[in-house]
Amino acid sequence: MQERQRRLDEVTANAVARGMNILAVRNADVAQRYMEHKRVPPHVICRVLTQPTLRRRLSPEQSISEAITPSPQDGTEPQEPA
């Protein structure tokens, strides 16, 4: 097994998964700041932001736990239908 394919650090893997979700709904700056806050190594952040297709697939647990709903960009809360 290649070193890249090992999941030795589940905390980092989860932070990267959430960072990529943030990237999908926001932008690279916000995703990068989140991963830096979670202490993801800089070389990992660079790799996943510049080459996201090389990332490992999410585990089933990550797919469920990292599902996020984007909040509005203007900072207001979504309104309930009348």
Side-chain angles (χ1 to χ4, degrees):
M1 179 186 309
Q2 293 179 352
E3 182 66 27
R4 187 181 83 71
Q5 294 175 331
R6 292 185 190 160
R7 284 190 190 236
L8 299 178
D9 186 351
E10 191 172 331
V11 172
T12 299
N14 289 341
V16 170
R18 178 150 305 171
M20 296 309 290
N21 280 341
I22 292 168
L23 176 64
V25 297
R26 298 295 177 150
N27 61 51
D29 290 334
V30 176
Q32 180 176 347
R33 282 196 312 270
Y34 173 81
M35 288 187 278
E36 288 171 346
H37 173 74
K38 291 296 187 175
R39 295 187 171 88
V40 174
H43 70 279
V44 173
I45 295 171
C46 181
R47 184 178 69 236
V48 298
L49 291 178
T50 59
Q51 300 173 332
T53 58
L54 297 180
R55 279 188 61 241
R56 292 183 287 269
R57 288 184 223 171
L58 294 175
S59 68
E61 294 82 13
Q62 285 175 318
S63 294
I64 292 169
S65 71
E66 295 307 315
I68 60 174
T69 304
S71 57
Q73 290 289 331
D74 63 6
T76 61
E77 292 297 316
Q79 299 296 317
E80 292 293 320

